[in-house]
Amino acid sequence: MERFVDVAPGVRLWAEDFAPHGGVDGTAEPLLLVMGANASGLAWPDPLIEQLAERHRVIRYDHRDTGRSTWAFDERPYAISDLADDAIAVLDAFGIERAHVVGMSMGGILVQLMLLDHPDRLLSATVLCTTALGSGLARADDTEVAGSPAPPGPDPALLALWQEMGRPRDREAEIAWRVEHWRLLNGTGTPFEAGEFRALEERVIAHAGRHDNPAAHARAAQTGLDRGAELAGVEVPTLVIEAPEDPVNPPPHSGHLSRALGRGRLVRVPGMGHALNSTVVAPVAAAILTQSAPAAAGAAS
């Protein structure tokens, strides 16, 4: 079922929920998917949602300035931290008191903010392809914690491509740019099928009704992200999925985050990069479902 969620004056988010297989079941615990920067909720692959819906009521949504949600950053700018509040507003709109939450890339940063500010709303958390608050791309400035070595940054080829992110292009050129972006994000540890990601981006463009990319999240304020020291107090069980071939947040980002969390644990998906291609869907789904199982998440209740 699709719906729109009002999260701020003049700002609406598109959201969609999937009933657990077999129909609506009040005993099925909800699971919220939080996607990365400048990415529609459709970037969560349907086969992944199908597997998660074996047990959960699954919800995905479009961030501001993506998909069918409001595109108005230039008129109503916001901070990355505001997007974490948006995720809570989506839960409120669906009448969900507590949920398992899964965040990828920037979505993993938002989940960390939810763990700190709204722990009572989370049954469990899973983050993947991300970095700890106050570290790497989740720093409010260019300084590192005194005495700590700087973690590795994104692949220089990605940094060069990101410089072109917001440039105007016609539809075909934009799709070509996005497919190349996915090729770099995917890395070399698993096969990259250009047709798979071209089909994805064609769906995303049809869903949004536009092909431009304002790169709003790259321009959003990063104030309030230097909160890494608070992660040690997190009581919600949190799984960190490490993608060893991730060109954005390569190891040791995931290991650092799992150690920083009060109740973090780490699993690795061999060969995975910064993309949910068809070869990694099954192991990622299995890791999420293990984390959301009653035995794993029960301590958060």
Side-chain angles (χ1 to χ4, degrees):
M1 178 180 68
E2 300 178 48
R3 67 186 303 171
F4 285 91
V5 178
D6 294 313
V7 297
V11 179
R12 309 186 81 192
L13 305 185
W14 172 88
E16 180 178 31
D17 74 327
F18 300 81
H21 295 326
V24 176
D25 180 356
T27 65
E29 294 178 329
L31 186 149
L32 178 69
L33 299 172
V34 187
M35 188 30 74
N38 305 301
S40 162
L42 267 64
W44 293 105
D46 287 345
L48 175 66
I49 291 174
E50 283 290 313
Q51 293 184 47
L52 298 179
E54 291 288 342
R55 185 188 301 158
H56 296 289
R57 176 189 181 189
V58 180
I59 300 170
R60 65 179 173 183
Y61 67 99
D62 291 337
H63 292 299
R64 306 184 194 198
D65 293 282
T66 73
R68 293 183 187 169
S69 295
T70 300
W71 296 47
F73 181 82
D74 291 333
E75 295 78 32
R76 289 184 286 274
Y78 48 84
I80 294 296
S81 58
D82 292 325
L83 301 180
D85 293 332
D86 288 354
I88 296 297
V90 170
L91 293 180
D92 290 342
F94 281 96
I96 294 171
E97 182 178 351
R98 304 180 76 195
H100 302 280
V101 181
V102 180
M104 178 172 181
S105 192
M106 182 193 74
I109 294 168
L110 303 183
V111 169
Q112 291 173 64
L113 292 172
M114 296 166 72
L115 286 166
L116 295 179
D117 295 333
H118 304 280
D120 57 315
R121 304 299 299 273
L122 277 64
L123 292 167
S124 76
T126 300
V127 296
L128 57 151
C129 303
T130 195
T131 188
L133 288 169
S135 178
L137 294 177
R139 297 196 310 273
D141 53 42
D142 292 329
T143 62
E144 290 292 338
V145 177
S148 298
D155 186 302
L158 266 175
L159 293 175
L161 194 64
W162 288 347
Q163 294 300 312
E164 306 171 1
M165 184 180 296
R167 293 180 183 174
R169 287 177 283 268
D170 63 31
R171 181 181 184 277
E172 188 58 34
E174 177 64 21
I175 291 175
W177 186 95
R178 295 186 191 186
V179 171
E180 174 63 11
H181 188 215
W182 281 119
R183 183 184 71 79
L184 293 177
L185 291 174
N186 187 82
T188 59
T190 58
F192 176 72
E193 297 293 340
E196 175 184 351
F197 287 94
R198 181 180 178 88
L200 166 64
E201 291 302 340
E202 288 176 340
R203 282 186 63 210
V204 167
I205 288 171
H207 169 71
R210 57 193 293 176
H211 71 269
D212 57 318
N213 183 354
H217 301 158
R219 297 185 285 143
Q222 292 191 277
T223 52
L225 300 187
D226 284 337
R227 301 179 62 186
E230 299 176 49
L231 295 174
V234 169
E235 295 290 335
V236 177
T238 303
L239 173 67
V240 181
I241 299 178
E242 181 174 74
E245 303 301 323
D246 186 347
V248 179
N249 298 302
H253 281 275
S254 295
H256 168 69
L257 175 56
S258 66
R259 291 188 297 272
L261 286 158
R263 298 194 60 197
R265 68 184 184 92
L266 182 73
V267 299
R268 170 179 285 208
V269 174
M272 183 176 174
H274 202 89
L276 292 169
N277 67 43
S278 58
T279 68
V280 303
V281 163
V284 168
I288 294 170
L289 289 171
T290 297
Q291 178 67 5
S292 67
S301 302

